[in-house]
Amino acid sequence: MGFFSKMFGKKAAAAKANMHNVENRDLMQAIVGGCLLVAYADGSCEDEELKKMEQVITALPELKHFGNEIQETIGTFRSQLEAGFRIGRQKILKEISEIKGNDDERYIVFNTIITISEADGEVSPEEVTVLKDVAQILGISLREYGIE
């Protein structure tokens, strides 16, 4: 009986860890997608924005366990945005909408996106438009951030 308890206990723990990864995957995709959406808002993605994005994403404890999957997600979203900004935007906004029910996650996503928009020292009107779209989806007031 002890052997089966240990075996099933390990499988249950692995299943629980896998479920946590699936739940956090939505957060990871929303963060990565939102960062890229604001970085591409003005038509190009600057090196400063990519460097800041990498710095911010690697500092988030919620995303530490994704490793190479983050780079794959960045590649996927970049390809979509470069192929057609509207299509990429639509897919990313869908990912962002999937975390809107969790207060902690929606603020992590929005604060990360704002951080990327400020990476080059100024927030362009195109980036403000993206911020407004994301804030509306997440139910966040831009006045809290001094943006109107």
Side-chain angles (χ1 to χ4, degrees):
M1 181 92 173
F3 170 75
F4 288 112
S5 295
K6 285 183 181 179
M7 185 174 79
F8 289 121
K10 287 180 182 178
K11 288 190 182 221
K16 185 177 178 182
N18 191 33
M19 181 59 106
H20 181 68
N21 281 353
V22 169
E23 290 172 0
N24 277 357
R25 185 166 288 113
D26 289 339
L27 175 62
M28 182 269 292
Q29 291 171 334
I31 288 172
V32 169
C35 289
L36 287 169
L37 188 60
V38 80
Y40 276 91
D42 57 3
S44 65
C45 185
E46 303 296 328
D47 286 341
E48 296 88 14
E49 292 166 319
L50 286 175
K51 286 177 188 174
K52 185 57 128 178
M53 188 174 106
E54 183 178 327
Q55 179 185 18
V56 169
I57 287 173
T58 57
L60 290 171
E62 297 87 352
L63 304 184
K64 290 241 184 255
H65 60 280
F66 283 103
N68 289 337
E69 191 173 344
I70 291 173
Q71 291 303 318
E72 292 170 12
T73 303
I74 289 171
T76 299
F77 285 141
R78 285 188 78 181
S79 294
Q80 291 171 348
L81 289 165
E82 290 173 4
F85 184 78
R86 290 175 195 249
I87 294 168
R89 178 183 175 278
Q90 176 187 354
K91 292 187 178 294
I92 290 168
L93 292 178
K94 179 183 179 292
E95 293 296 339
I96 291 170
S97 73
E98 291 179 5
I99 58 92
K100 69 182 175 184
N102 182 313
D103 281 344
D104 289 338
E105 290 182 355
R106 68 190 181 107
Y107 278 101
I108 289 170
V109 169
F110 197 72
N111 283 316
T112 305
I113 294 170
I114 284 184
T115 300
I116 302 309
S117 71
E118 297 169 336
D120 60 0
E122 62 181 278
V123 181
S124 72
E126 296 86 1
E127 290 171 333
V128 170
T129 299
V130 169
L131 293 173
K132 287 179 180 179
D133 292 344
V134 172
Q136 182 179 5
I137 289 170
L138 297 178
I140 293 175
S141 170
L142 289 177
R143 289 182 187 174
E144 294 177 44
Y145 295 89
I147 302 170
E148 307 237 8

